[in-house]
Amino acid sequence: MNSKQRVHAALRRQPVDRVPIHVTFHPHTVAALARVLEVPRHAVEDIFANDVRMTWVNNDYFALGVTHDQDGEGHTDFWGIRWVQRGSVNRLAEFPLAAMTPDQVRKFCFPLQHVEELLSRLGPFVAGAYEHFLGCDVSPCVLEMYRRLRGPQRLAADMESEPDLIEEMLDRCAAFAALLAELACRRFPLDWLWAGDAAPPREAHSIPPELWRRLVKPHLQLVFDVGKRHRLWVGYRGCGDLRPILPDLIDMGLDVLHLGPNTCADVDPLDLCREFGSKIAFVGGLPTHDVLVRGTAEEVRRSTRRLIDGMTSRGGGYVLAPTEGLPPETPPDNILAMYAEAGQGREEIQDRAADYRAKHAQN
């Protein structure tokens, strides 16, 4: 069973030889693992046998795409948003539409001239598409994209006094995400399409469920519809408590939910699977900072085993993943412990690294 077959089977709730794995490594984590295994950075994902090969093509610069060596270093993206590194991730620092009047905001141009460059991020994955499960992420799609452009304070003010502006800009944000999704689906042999956005309250920039249904849901549906037209699995990840709107997302066509660090934060993933596992599959749920970064290897093994056994025994499709990308401070022993519980022991991974070194030493 190759990776593509394994993930499709898991999402269909069919038997698999082992739980599929989808881990996103911070670039600095990749460098650390490459040193431990004595292989080049580009070989790490193959050696760890990640089943899902996925990248983003929209505005997601927190830990991907552009990295910096020192705190305080930054860059400005294609949208004019300024990012500055804080710790191991980039943080929003300047919002290009923050000082503009509503009329000026309406004249903002999305980076259509950079669409080809954004889509090119998928190119390196095509060669392995027969064997690996290929994904594309077009988040943030609606409200979160506008927040990054306008800033949280002006967004809040617009929601109070500029309803027409909000409607117009959320529609434009969704249209750009849908364009990226449509082009990606046409050009690349994708297996799933991921959307994402802000959700009901748990974050300062989130909104009540009833307002989400009125402002965000119709626009987000445009992106979901792209994946459905192309007969792909549609996944979703969001900032905030998704539990109140999860039935809405399912009605919209959701197939796979990412269990992020604050997704349905007060609900055990196993209970969530028991309630919704017959309708959707799940990815994630293994706490990144509380377990993988701060825990012992034994604690990682116990948490991973509980999650795998619980999610798969409650009728849901499941793909093992941390709640978020693994940061540089994650101990390599903990990463290996997680993989061991997923059916890939330390010796197997070390043997792959040794085989890689031997093969390339001969060349």
Side-chain angles (χ1 to χ4, degrees):
M1 181 172 269
N2 65 26
S3 291
K4 184 184 287 287
Q5 295 165 338
R6 185 176 296 115
V7 180
H8 277 294
L11 297 181
R12 296 186 185 113
R13 299 160 187 79
Q14 296 171 346
V16 292
D17 55 342
R18 63 165 174 79
V19 64
I21 303 172
H22 175 29
V23 178
T24 301
F25 297 109
H26 186 283
H28 294 164
T29 312
V30 172
L33 292 171
R35 289 193 296 270
V36 169
L37 297 171
E38 300 178 339
V39 297
R41 296 183 187 186
H42 64 78
V44 168
E45 193 160 23
D46 282 331
I47 288 170
F48 276 87
N50 269 341
D51 293 296
V52 178
R53 304 300 167 96
M54 180 168 167
T55 191
W56 55 276
V57 297
N58 204 344
N59 184 279
D60 198 349
Y61 291 86
F62 281 103
L64 303 170
V66 179
T67 56
H68 304 284
D69 293 326
Q70 303 293 330
D71 268 11
E73 293 181 348
H75 68 279
T76 301
D77 65 28
F78 295 148
W79 289 257
I81 300 167
R82 179 73 179 169
W83 300 81
V84 174
Q85 182 166 312
R86 297 284 183 260
S88 61
V89 298
N90 297 316
R91 300 293 183 185
L92 292 155
E94 296 177 14
F95 310 95
L97 306 186
M100 292 186 180
T101 66
D103 286 341
Q104 290 172 326
V105 169
R106 288 185 170 94
K107 295 178 182 178
F108 174 77
C109 295
F110 281 77
L112 292 169
Q113 71 274 25
H114 294 292
V115 163
E116 294 302 321
E117 187 172 347
L118 291 167
L119 292 172
S120 70
R121 295 179 57 83
L122 285 162
F125 299 97
V126 173
Y130 175 79
E131 179 181 358
H132 296 115
F133 190 93
L134 182 59
C136 174
D137 186 342
V138 296
S139 60
C141 298
V142 190
L143 188 66
E144 173 60 15
M145 185 67 249
Y146 187 53
R147 182 184 79 94
R148 296 183 187 186
L149 292 169
R150 189 67 157 145
Q153 287 77 28
R154 294 305 301 271
L155 169 61
D158 288 346
M159 292 181 71
E160 289 289 332
S161 60
E162 298 288 344
D164 291 342
L165 177 65
I166 284 284
E167 179 68 23
E168 180 177 340
M169 292 306 294
L170 296 189
D171 184 64
R172 292 182 63 197
C173 290
F176 189 73
L179 171 66
L180 292 171
E182 181 66 36
L183 292 175
C185 290
R186 288 182 185 179
R187 297 183 188 180
F188 299 95
L190 301 179
D191 294 291
W192 65 16
L193 176 72
W194 279 79
D197 207 60
R202 185 147 312 262
E203 299 288 333
H205 58 276
S206 299
I207 59 176
E210 59 274 12
L211 192 56
W212 179 90
R213 293 185 181 103
R214 180 165 63 84
L215 286 182
V216 177
K217 182 178 178 179
H219 302 296
L220 187 62
Q221 184 72 64
L222 296 175
V223 184
F224 276 45
D225 288 347
V226 174
K228 290 301 178 180
R229 281 199 304 274
H230 289 272
R231 299 182 179 180
L232 304 180
W233 301 99
V234 172
Y236 184 84
R237 61 185 181 93
C239 300
D241 184 5
L242 298 181
R243 179 60 187 83
I245 64 168
L246 193 47
D248 296 86
L249 291 168
I250 292 171
D251 288 343
M252 292 166 62
L254 178 69
D255 296 303
V256 191
L257 178 67
H258 177 242
L259 298 170
N262 58 5
T263 303
C264 309
D266 297 327
V267 182
D268 190 316
L270 273 58
D271 292 333
L272 204 64
C273 182
R274 183 184 297 109
E275 185 174 0
F276 295 103
S278 63
K279 298 179 180 179
I280 57 173
F282 299 89
V283 174
L286 185 62
T288 301
H289 291 280
D290 290 344
V291 174
L292 284 161
V293 173
R294 303 189 186 101
T296 65
E298 183 54 35
E299 289 169 339
V300 170
R301 292 187 73 116
R302 286 200 302 268
S303 295
T304 304
R305 178 48 50 195
R306 176 182 183 272
L307 199 57
I308 293 172
D309 289 346
M311 299 298 280
T312 56
S313 68
R314 282 164 170 76
Y318 183 62
V319 177
L320 175 67
T323 52
E324 52 193 314
L326 290 182
E329 59 269 26
T330 311
D333 280 350
N334 285 4
I335 298 174
L336 290 167
M338 173 184 64
Y339 272 86
E341 286 302 311
Q344 296 190 60
R346 177 189 293 260
E347 290 186 359
E348 181 179 353
I349 291 171
Q350 290 174 333
D351 285 347
R352 288 198 204 108
D355 289 344
Y356 180 93
R357 292 193 300 270
K359 177 180 178 181
H360 289 81
Q362 295 172 358
N363 296 333

